[in-house]
Amino acid sequence: MKRETQISVVDAEKVIKRRKKKYSRNRAHDSLSFKKHPLGIKPWGNFLFADNSSGVNIRESGLGFFRIWDDSFVASFLSDTSVLTASDIAILSNVSKAFYCFCSVDFLWRILTIREFAGNFSYSGSWRETYRLNFAKKRSLSLQSPSASLVVDDFYSDYLFSTWKCTSVSLEDMCGSNEQLMRDNIDRRNNLSLSEFRKEYAEINKP
């Protein structure tokens, strides 16, 4: 019995070491996987495992008629500056938590900022804050410190989550250290014939 216990302890230690090693290799990926959206938006798959007995996704009730459209179309419609102004977006964000999430999308405020100020603005950490500060500066308005963003429960959207994630992570988190990013391992070649390129690069899928 004692020997069996010793063997099981040794096996357990090996498993722990393997898992620690795997975690160390993938810590950058893990940090991306568990990074939370500042508004609380979650990918749609989380809805299936949510601790939510009522099975609520506030998108459906919060968007009203707009719920029949997919998320990318709703975001595209809101970013059409020929239809809605920044004032319209600000008002619409107060309609419901679902509209608040859509009206807070950063690329929407990027479009509004560029349309309103062209190249005459200073970027301030996010496009919504950039618009707010430059709008006040342009009209000589005094501003209070921005309030914290509302954190929304039970809102699930692959589109809004992935667009935020793709624009908010650093290259170092995605690709490794600065040393790895700066490493140049791509061949520099001149005057390659088409046949040489196909043989040495295209056929073996080498960059």
Side-chain angles (χ1 to χ4, degrees):
M1 176 66 70
K2 184 176 181 180
R3 179 173 175 78
E4 289 178 356
T5 303
Q6 289 175 340
I7 292 175
S8 64
V9 170
V10 171
D11 291 341
E13 289 176 348
K14 288 180 179 179
V15 170
I16 292 171
K17 287 181 180 180
R18 285 198 300 268
R19 290 183 177 177
K20 284 183 176 180
K21 188 175 181 181
K22 182 178 180 180
Y23 173 78
S24 178
R25 288 198 308 268
N26 297 320
R27 66 182 182 275
H29 177 269
D30 292 342
S31 66
L32 296 178
S33 299
F34 291 104
K35 191 173 182 179
K36 293 183 178 180
H37 193 288
L39 302 183
I41 298 171
K42 301 178 183 67
W44 172 249
N46 287 39
F47 178 73
L48 303 176
F49 303 99
D51 184 15
N52 184 350
S53 58
S54 60
V56 172
N57 179 8
I58 62 171
R59 178 195 186 282
E60 303 305 310
S61 59
L63 289 184
F65 174 78
F66 283 79
R67 71 181 182 274
I68 66 173
W69 295 336
D70 63 39
D71 291 348
S72 61
F73 186 86
V74 175
S76 177
F77 173 79
L78 295 179
S79 63
D80 186 346
T81 55
S82 67
V83 178
L84 299 173
T85 65
S87 179
D88 295 328
I89 297 297
I91 294 171
L92 190 59
S93 69
N94 290 290
V95 170
S96 67
K97 291 180 180 179
F99 270 116
Y100 176 80
C101 290
F102 277 97
C103 293
S104 300
V105 173
D106 215 36
F107 72 77
L108 167 60
W109 289 98
R110 180 187 65 199
I111 294 170
L112 293 168
T113 300
I114 294 172
R115 187 193 70 167
E116 177 82 17
F117 307 108
N120 187 27
F121 63 86
S122 300
Y123 184 73
S124 303
S126 74
W127 285 106
R128 185 169 63 164
E129 184 66 6
T130 298
Y131 185 94
R132 191 180 79 94
L133 293 178
N134 285 276
F135 181 87
K137 180 180 178 181
K138 183 177 179 180
R139 289 162 175 75
S140 301
L141 302 174
S142 59
L143 284 178
Q144 297 178 346
S145 300
S147 59
S149 296
L150 176 68
V151 178
V152 176
D153 293 325
D154 303 327
F155 187 91
Y156 304 90
S157 169
D158 284 339
Y159 179 77
L160 295 187
F161 184 85
S162 62
T163 52
W164 162 79
K165 186 173 182 178
C166 290
T167 57
S168 63
V169 298
S170 67
L171 286 175
E172 185 172 343
D173 286 337
M174 294 181 67
C175 306
S177 65
N178 287 331
E179 181 181 348
Q180 291 172 310
L181 291 173
M182 296 300 293
R183 188 180 301 151
D184 186 354
N185 57 3
I186 298 178
D187 292 345
R188 308 296 179 187
R189 301 283 298 276
N190 293 319
N191 302 320
L192 277 175
S193 66
L194 180 58
S195 61
E196 287 174 328
F197 173 77
R198 285 175 174 169
K199 181 179 179 181
E200 298 181 33
Y201 295 95
E203 292 179 359
I204 59 177
N205 196 27
K206 180 180 178 181

